[in-house]
Amino acid sequence: MAKKASFWFKLVFLAALLVTGCSNGGGEKATSGEQSNQAAATVASTTTTQDNTAAAAAYPKTIKHLAGETVIPQKPLKIATPYIAFVDYLAVLDEYPVAAQGVATIQRNFPVLSKRLENKEIADLGMEVDLEKLLAMSPDVIIAANDMKDQYESLSRIAPTVILPQAGDWRETLEQIAQVIGKEDKAKSVLADFDRKSAEYKEKLAFRSQESVIFVMYNEKDTFTTWNDGRFDPFYVGLGLKRVEGNQAQGQLSIESLAALNPDHLFVINNWQTPIAGGVKAALKDNKVWNSLNAVKNNHVYELKDPSLPGPMALAKIQGIEDIMQAMGQ
């Protein structure tokens, strides 16, 4: 570590020295701020080049996955994914596929990911994946989910194909995708930053540690969907949130059952398939059972427009801790 730190210090110093020398040789003398910016740009460019070179040198590589093993001959530049959730992971890794499932669906319903996709050229394979369109894009690699495992041979005839779990642990999936595309260091950096922020936010939210929290999705006919399968552990455990006592339900929860749980804080996630016009608080403002909830009476109901929070996606978790901190940190 000491040698590595010394190397980077020398690189920064050398870049700054070169900039200073060039500016003193003629013309106007660069300001200290300009020198600093130019030095930083030089270091960033050098770092990117070295990272790309190191990543390219790691190929060919053999990837073990749910359908066996696949050899990736070289660092893929044209990535395709016939699984909508993997677009999320690629965006977190600052990679954007040439073709993907459900691009239009993302743009209509998932505002956080959609913003990341702005001005990106991505062919939409549709929700029912169009294999002919996928073939036409000539990808270098295909990252698919196990819902297409039975089409592995067909996909492999188009490009080297890797099959990953649809709903695996989000951290593991991020690292697996990073391995395929040669961005292992980026994945490590993302996860380290997530853990650092989680620890910071947990400390800031300590004053809420005895106040119960539940996450639900509102459906029609005054019912809610709830989960207790661990998908919210990055928030309950990572941020130190208190679970609602007595919540044994998995699936549908009536408004009366929700009132019996009576959470102190209620996160209501937008149901993108059946969105509620005007939001849940407006829809239920005259409902006596709803108005009896502690969260409602204390104005601790938080409506989340993006429906991806319950999903097994990296960006959903990364944005999730920001949304929770903003809501409960007041």
Side-chain angles (χ1 to χ4, degrees):
M1 288 297 292
K3 289 182 178 178
K4 189 173 182 180
S6 175
F7 168 76
W8 286 113
F9 176 79
K10 290 176 181 177
L11 186 59
V12 173
F13 180 79
L14 178 60
L17 184 62
L18 288 172
V19 171
T20 303
C22 291
S23 63
N24 287 342
E28 294 182 2
K29 185 176 180 178
T31 67
S32 59
E34 290 171 338
Q35 292 174 9
S36 177
N37 290 339
Q38 291 169 5
T42 301
V43 172
S45 176
T46 303
T47 302
T48 300
T49 301
Q50 290 178 337
D51 288 346
N52 289 339
T53 301
Y59 294 85
K61 64 169 65 172
T62 300
I63 304 295
K64 294 182 179 181
H65 55 93
L66 295 179
E69 295 184 354
T70 296
V71 175
I72 312 294
Q74 59 190 14
K75 180 176 169 56
L77 300 179
K78 297 173 67 179
I79 303 159
T81 178
Y83 182 47
I84 189 171
F86 290 165
V87 180
D88 171 291
Y89 289 94
L90 289 168
V92 167
L93 295 170
D94 290 331
E95 288 286 341
Y96 297 90
V98 295
Q101 180 192 40
V103 176
T105 299
I106 292 170
Q107 292 170 335
R108 286 194 303 269
N109 301 291
F110 296 84
V112 176
L113 179 55
S114 181
K115 187 171 181 61
R116 296 255 187 144
L117 302 188
E118 287 179 357
N119 303 317
K120 302 294 188 298
E121 296 292 331
I122 305 173
D124 191 350
L125 300 175
M127 290 305 293
E128 294 293 331
V129 175
D130 186 335
L131 292 184
E132 290 186 4
K133 193 170 186 179
L134 176 60
L135 174 63
M137 296 307 297
S138 301
D140 298 324
V141 70
I142 297 171
I143 305 175
N146 56 321
D147 64 329
M148 295 190 74
K149 189 176 179 180
D150 61 341
Q151 299 184 62
Y152 175 64
E153 291 186 6
S154 297
L155 294 172
S156 295
R157 284 194 286 269
I158 298 174
T161 299
V162 173
I163 305 290
L164 300 177
Q166 278 184 288
D169 177 85
W170 74 276
R171 299 174 73 102
E172 291 179 3
T173 302
L174 183 68
E175 291 177 325
Q176 289 169 332
I177 291 177
Q179 183 186 17
V180 174
I181 65 175
K183 283 212 161 182
E184 293 92 335
D185 288 346
K186 176 65 175 179
K188 289 177 182 177
S189 175
V190 167
L191 292 174
D193 187 57
F194 178 84
D195 291 339
R196 178 189 60 78
K197 281 190 175 182
S198 292
E200 176 188 338
Y201 294 170
K202 183 176 183 177
E203 186 175 337
K204 290 181 177 179
L205 291 173
F207 75 104
R208 300 283 195 193
S209 62
Q210 299 306 309
E211 301 171 12
S212 60
V213 180
I214 193 171
F215 299 88
V216 300
M217 182 175 284
Y218 183 56
N219 307 312
E220 297 175 321
K221 299 180 181 178
D222 297 346
T223 61
F224 300 81
T225 298
T226 186
W227 305 266
N228 58 8
D229 56 4
R231 69 183 66 200
F232 291 101
D233 283 357
F235 312 127
Y236 283 120
V237 178
L239 300 180
L241 305 183
K242 181 182 178 181
R243 301 177 193 269
V244 173
E245 294 181 5
N247 181 25
Q248 303 299 321
Q250 170 77 13
Q252 297 302 305
L253 193 68
S254 68
I255 194 168
E256 289 79 14
S257 297
L258 179 61
L261 295 173
N262 204 14
D264 295 311
H265 297 268
L266 176 62
F267 285 87
V268 183
I269 303 158
N270 178 38
N271 190 332
W272 66 279
Q273 293 177 311
T274 55
I276 307 302
V280 175
K281 288 189 282 188
L284 296 176
K285 62 183 177 64
D286 296 324
N287 186 297
K288 292 183 179 180
V289 178
W290 170 259
N291 288 321
S292 71
L293 271 67
N294 287 338
V296 176
K297 289 187 287 188
N298 295 320
N299 197 29
H300 288 164
V301 176
Y302 318 108
E303 297 186 73
L304 301 179
K305 292 182 179 180
D306 198 297
S308 61
L309 193 68
M313 296 175 285
L315 185 57
K317 303 300 183 285
I318 291 167
Q319 182 61 42
I321 62 172
E322 301 294 341
D323 290 338
I324 292 168
M325 181 65 213
Q326 183 176 1
M328 295 183 63
Q330 305 299 321

